[in-house]
Short mmCIF file of all heavy atoms in Angstrom, two decimals:
data_model
loop_
_atom_site.label_atom_id
_atom_site.label_comp_id
_atom_site.label_asym_id
_atom_site.label_seq_id
_atom_site.Cartn_x
_atom_site.Cartn_y
_atom_site.Cartn_z
N VAL A 25 59.35 -67.51 -93.09
CA VAL A 25 57.92 -67.39 -93.42
C VAL A 25 57.88 -66.51 -94.65
O VAL A 25 58.71 -65.69 -94.98
CB VAL A 25 57.08 -66.84 -92.29
CG1 VAL A 25 57.02 -67.77 -91.09
CG2 VAL A 25 57.48 -65.51 -91.91
N VAL A 26 56.77 -66.68 -95.46
CA VAL A 26 56.58 -65.87 -96.71
C VAL A 26 56.28 -64.49 -96.18
O VAL A 26 55.41 -64.25 -95.33
CB VAL A 26 55.46 -66.39 -97.53
CG1 VAL A 26 55.16 -65.52 -98.72
CG2 VAL A 26 55.84 -67.86 -97.98
N ASP A 27 56.99 -63.45 -96.74
CA ASP A 27 56.70 -62.13 -96.31
C ASP A 27 55.35 -61.76 -96.86
O ASP A 27 54.92 -62.01 -97.96
CB ASP A 27 57.79 -61.17 -96.93
CG ASP A 27 57.72 -59.76 -96.45
OD1 ASP A 27 57.25 -59.60 -95.31
OD2 ASP A 27 58.12 -58.89 -97.22
N GLY A 28 54.60 -61.02 -96.03
CA GLY A 28 53.25 -60.52 -96.35
C GLY A 28 52.23 -61.51 -95.84
O GLY A 28 50.96 -61.35 -96.08
N ALA A 29 52.60 -62.65 -95.13
CA ALA A 29 51.67 -63.55 -94.62
C ALA A 29 50.90 -62.85 -93.46
O ALA A 29 51.43 -61.92 -92.86
CB ALA A 29 52.36 -64.81 -94.04
N PRO A 30 49.69 -63.22 -93.19
CA PRO A 30 48.87 -62.54 -92.17
C PRO A 30 49.52 -62.70 -90.74
O PRO A 30 49.98 -63.85 -90.39
CB PRO A 30 47.52 -63.12 -92.23
CG PRO A 30 47.74 -64.48 -92.88
CD PRO A 30 48.93 -64.27 -93.84
N VAL A 31 49.59 -61.68 -89.91
CA VAL A 31 50.10 -61.75 -88.57
C VAL A 31 49.12 -62.18 -87.54
O VAL A 31 49.41 -62.63 -86.49
CB VAL A 31 50.75 -60.32 -88.23
CG1 VAL A 31 51.28 -60.39 -86.77
CG2 VAL A 31 51.78 -59.86 -89.19
N ARG A 32 47.80 -62.08 -87.91
CA ARG A 32 46.75 -62.42 -86.96
C ARG A 32 46.67 -63.96 -86.76
O ARG A 32 47.30 -64.74 -87.49
CB ARG A 32 45.44 -61.93 -87.47
CG ARG A 32 44.95 -62.68 -88.71
CD ARG A 32 43.81 -62.05 -89.38
NE ARG A 32 43.17 -62.84 -90.32
CZ ARG A 32 43.66 -63.07 -91.56
NH1 ARG A 32 44.80 -62.56 -91.89
NH2 ARG A 32 43.04 -63.84 -92.47
N LEU A 33 46.03 -64.28 -85.68
CA LEU A 33 45.80 -65.67 -85.33
C LEU A 33 44.78 -66.30 -86.26
O LEU A 33 43.77 -65.65 -86.54
CB LEU A 33 45.39 -65.86 -83.91
CG LEU A 33 46.37 -65.48 -82.81
CD1 LEU A 33 45.69 -65.60 -81.46
CD2 LEU A 33 47.54 -66.52 -82.86
N GLY A 34 45.03 -67.41 -86.68
CA GLY A 34 44.08 -68.18 -87.50
C GLY A 34 42.91 -68.86 -86.65
O GLY A 34 43.05 -68.91 -85.56
N VAL A 35 41.94 -69.38 -87.41
CA VAL A 35 40.96 -70.13 -86.85
C VAL A 35 41.51 -71.44 -86.14
O VAL A 35 41.05 -71.71 -84.98
CB VAL A 35 39.86 -70.53 -87.84
CG1 VAL A 35 38.81 -71.46 -87.23
CG2 VAL A 35 39.22 -69.30 -88.47
N ALA A 36 42.43 -72.08 -86.78
CA ALA A 36 42.97 -73.29 -86.16
C ALA A 36 43.69 -72.98 -84.84
O ALA A 36 43.53 -73.71 -83.86
CB ALA A 36 43.96 -73.93 -87.12
N SER A 37 44.34 -71.84 -84.71
CA SER A 37 45.04 -71.44 -83.49
C SER A 37 44.01 -71.21 -82.43
O SER A 37 44.18 -71.57 -81.26
CB SER A 37 45.88 -70.22 -83.67
OG SER A 37 46.84 -70.46 -84.67
N CYS A 38 42.92 -70.58 -82.72
CA CYS A 38 41.82 -70.28 -81.79
C CYS A 38 41.26 -71.63 -81.31
O CYS A 38 40.90 -71.74 -80.14
CB CYS A 38 40.80 -69.34 -82.36
SG CYS A 38 41.44 -67.69 -82.59
N VAL A 39 40.98 -72.52 -82.17
CA VAL A 39 40.36 -73.82 -81.80
C VAL A 39 41.30 -74.60 -80.92
O VAL A 39 40.85 -75.14 -79.90
CB VAL A 39 40.06 -74.66 -83.07
CG1 VAL A 39 39.60 -76.09 -82.69
CG2 VAL A 39 38.90 -73.94 -83.85
N VAL A 40 42.54 -74.65 -81.25
CA VAL A 40 43.53 -75.43 -80.47
C VAL A 40 43.69 -74.73 -79.08
O VAL A 40 43.74 -75.40 -78.08
CB VAL A 40 44.88 -75.52 -81.16
CG1 VAL A 40 45.97 -76.02 -80.24
CG2 VAL A 40 44.78 -76.34 -82.41
N GLY A 41 43.69 -73.38 -79.07
CA GLY A 41 43.70 -72.64 -77.80
C GLY A 41 42.57 -72.95 -76.94
O GLY A 41 42.67 -73.24 -75.73
N GLY A 42 41.38 -73.02 -77.54
CA GLY A 42 40.17 -73.34 -76.78
C GLY A 42 40.18 -74.81 -76.22
O GLY A 42 39.76 -75.08 -75.07
N MET A 43 40.68 -75.65 -77.04
CA MET A 43 40.83 -77.08 -76.64
C MET A 43 41.75 -77.21 -75.44
O MET A 43 41.54 -78.00 -74.56
CB MET A 43 41.24 -77.92 -77.78
CG MET A 43 40.13 -78.11 -78.80
SD MET A 43 40.64 -79.05 -80.28
CE MET A 43 41.23 -80.58 -79.58
N THR A 44 42.91 -76.46 -75.49
CA THR A 44 43.88 -76.55 -74.34
C THR A 44 43.26 -76.00 -73.08
O THR A 44 43.48 -76.52 -71.99
CB THR A 44 45.19 -75.89 -74.73
OG1 THR A 44 44.97 -74.51 -74.97
CG2 THR A 44 45.91 -76.60 -75.77
N VAL A 45 42.45 -74.92 -73.20
CA VAL A 45 41.82 -74.33 -72.05
C VAL A 45 40.79 -75.35 -71.47
O VAL A 45 40.75 -75.56 -70.22
CB VAL A 45 41.14 -72.98 -72.43
CG1 VAL A 45 40.24 -72.55 -71.29
CG2 VAL A 45 42.18 -71.97 -72.67
N MET A 46 40.03 -76.03 -72.34
CA MET A 46 39.16 -77.03 -71.85
C MET A 46 39.83 -78.20 -71.21
O MET A 46 39.39 -78.76 -70.18
CB MET A 46 38.23 -77.57 -73.01
CG MET A 46 37.20 -76.49 -73.42
SD MET A 46 36.14 -77.05 -74.80
CE MET A 46 36.30 -78.74 -74.97
N LEU A 47 41.00 -78.60 -71.80
CA LEU A 47 41.77 -79.73 -71.22
C LEU A 47 42.28 -79.35 -69.82
O LEU A 47 42.14 -80.20 -68.91
CB LEU A 47 42.90 -79.98 -72.17
CG LEU A 47 43.71 -81.27 -71.91
CD1 LEU A 47 42.81 -82.49 -72.11
CD2 LEU A 47 44.88 -81.36 -72.81
N VAL A 48 42.79 -78.14 -69.64
CA VAL A 48 43.22 -77.62 -68.35
C VAL A 48 42.04 -77.61 -67.34
O VAL A 48 42.18 -78.14 -66.22
CB VAL A 48 43.94 -76.26 -68.43
CG1 VAL A 48 44.17 -75.74 -67.05
CG2 VAL A 48 45.26 -76.36 -69.18
N GLY A 49 40.95 -77.04 -67.79
CA GLY A 49 39.78 -77.00 -66.92
C GLY A 49 39.28 -78.37 -66.46
O GLY A 49 39.01 -78.61 -65.26
N MET A 50 39.17 -79.28 -67.46
CA MET A 50 38.77 -80.61 -67.13
C MET A 50 39.72 -81.34 -66.16
O MET A 50 39.40 -82.03 -65.21
CB MET A 50 38.66 -81.44 -68.43
CG MET A 50 38.12 -82.87 -68.28
SD MET A 50 37.86 -83.73 -69.86
CE MET A 50 39.62 -83.89 -70.35
N GLY A 51 41.00 -81.16 -66.39
CA GLY A 51 42.05 -81.74 -65.48
C GLY A 51 41.94 -81.24 -64.10
O GLY A 51 42.03 -81.93 -63.06
N LEU A 52 41.75 -79.92 -63.99
CA LEU A 52 41.58 -79.31 -62.66
C LEU A 52 40.30 -79.78 -61.90
O LEU A 52 40.30 -79.96 -60.73
CB LEU A 52 41.64 -77.74 -62.73
CG LEU A 52 42.99 -77.20 -63.21
CD1 LEU A 52 42.92 -75.65 -63.27
CD2 LEU A 52 44.08 -77.52 -62.14
N VAL A 53 39.23 -79.93 -62.71
CA VAL A 53 37.99 -80.46 -62.09
C VAL A 53 38.23 -81.87 -61.61
O VAL A 53 37.84 -82.19 -60.46
CB VAL A 53 36.86 -80.37 -63.08
CG1 VAL A 53 35.65 -81.18 -62.60
CG2 VAL A 53 36.42 -78.98 -63.36
N PHE A 54 38.89 -82.67 -62.37
CA PHE A 54 39.17 -84.11 -61.90
C PHE A 54 40.03 -84.06 -60.69
O PHE A 54 39.83 -84.91 -59.78
CB PHE A 54 39.85 -84.90 -63.05
CG PHE A 54 38.91 -85.33 -64.16
CD1 PHE A 54 39.40 -85.63 -65.43
CD2 PHE A 54 37.54 -85.45 -63.91
CE1 PHE A 54 38.56 -86.00 -66.43
CE2 PHE A 54 36.65 -85.80 -65.05
CZ PHE A 54 37.20 -86.09 -66.15
N ALA A 55 41.02 -83.23 -60.69
CA ALA A 55 41.95 -83.11 -59.53
C ALA A 55 41.13 -82.68 -58.32
O ALA A 55 41.32 -83.23 -57.20
CB ALA A 55 43.10 -82.18 -59.81
N LEU A 56 40.27 -81.71 -58.48
CA LEU A 56 39.50 -81.24 -57.34
C LEU A 56 38.56 -82.33 -56.82
O LEU A 56 38.51 -82.57 -55.57
CB LEU A 56 38.63 -80.07 -57.77
CG LEU A 56 37.77 -79.43 -56.66
CD1 LEU A 56 38.66 -78.83 -55.55
CD2 LEU A 56 36.90 -78.33 -57.31
N ILE A 57 37.93 -83.08 -57.73
CA ILE A 57 37.05 -84.18 -57.28
C ILE A 57 37.88 -85.25 -56.55
O ILE A 57 37.46 -85.74 -55.49
CB ILE A 57 36.38 -84.85 -58.51
CG1 ILE A 57 35.28 -83.88 -59.06
CG2 ILE A 57 35.71 -86.19 -58.11
CD1 ILE A 57 34.71 -84.25 -60.32
N GLY A 58 39.08 -85.48 -57.02
CA GLY A 58 40.00 -86.48 -56.31
C GLY A 58 40.40 -86.00 -54.99
O GLY A 58 40.37 -86.77 -53.96
N PHE A 59 40.70 -84.71 -54.83
CA PHE A 59 41.14 -84.19 -53.53
C PHE A 59 39.97 -84.19 -52.50
O PHE A 59 40.16 -84.53 -51.40
CB PHE A 59 41.70 -82.76 -53.66
CG PHE A 59 43.07 -82.76 -54.30
CD1 PHE A 59 43.49 -81.85 -55.27
CD2 PHE A 59 44.08 -83.61 -53.84
CE1 PHE A 59 44.78 -81.80 -55.80
CE2 PHE A 59 45.29 -83.63 -54.36
CZ PHE A 59 45.65 -82.69 -55.39
N VAL A 60 38.81 -83.73 -52.95
CA VAL A 60 37.65 -83.74 -52.13
C VAL A 60 37.33 -85.20 -51.65
O VAL A 60 37.02 -85.43 -50.47
CB VAL A 60 36.43 -83.14 -52.87
CG1 VAL A 60 35.23 -83.41 -52.09
CG2 VAL A 60 36.69 -81.62 -53.03
N GLY A 61 37.46 -86.15 -52.55
CA GLY A 61 37.18 -87.55 -52.21
C GLY A 61 38.22 -88.00 -51.12
O GLY A 61 37.84 -88.77 -50.22
N VAL A 62 39.48 -87.67 -51.30
CA VAL A 62 40.54 -87.98 -50.29
C VAL A 62 40.20 -87.38 -48.96
O VAL A 62 40.34 -88.04 -47.94
CB VAL A 62 41.93 -87.63 -50.80
CG1 VAL A 62 42.95 -87.71 -49.67
CG2 VAL A 62 42.31 -88.47 -51.98
N ILE A 63 39.81 -86.07 -48.96
CA ILE A 63 39.52 -85.46 -47.72
C ILE A 63 38.26 -86.14 -47.04
O ILE A 63 38.33 -86.39 -45.76
CB ILE A 63 39.16 -83.97 -47.97
CG1 ILE A 63 40.48 -83.21 -48.37
CG2 ILE A 63 38.57 -83.26 -46.72
CD1 ILE A 63 40.31 -81.82 -48.76
N PHE A 64 37.21 -86.37 -47.73
CA PHE A 64 36.03 -87.02 -47.15
C PHE A 64 36.38 -88.49 -46.66
O PHE A 64 35.81 -88.92 -45.65
CB PHE A 64 34.85 -87.05 -48.02
CG PHE A 64 34.16 -85.69 -48.10
CD1 PHE A 64 33.93 -85.01 -49.34
CD2 PHE A 64 33.71 -85.12 -46.98
CE1 PHE A 64 33.24 -83.80 -49.37
CE2 PHE A 64 33.00 -83.86 -46.97
CZ PHE A 64 32.84 -83.20 -48.20
N ALA A 65 37.23 -89.15 -47.37
CA ALA A 65 37.54 -90.50 -47.03
C ALA A 65 38.46 -90.50 -45.75
O ALA A 65 38.30 -91.41 -44.95
CB ALA A 65 38.38 -91.24 -48.18
#
């Protein structure tokens, strides 16, 4: 890497991090809905 480049996280990293958190949350909600449906069935 170029010496002197910023060490902090960039905006793109924060956006991608937020998207992965939303993806995990959405997947867990779908899984929970599926498990609840199986239990009630």
Side-chain angles (χ1 to χ4, degrees):
V25 296
V26 175
D27 190 26
V31 180
R32 68 188 190 288
L33 289 175
V35 173
S37 298
C38 293
V39 169
V40 171
M43 289 174 58
T44 58
V45 168
M46 285 181 14
L47 191 63
V48 170
M50 185 176 65
L52 292 176
V53 167
F54 286 157
L56 181 64
I57 291 170
F59 286 136
V60 168
V62 168
I63 290 171
F64 281 126

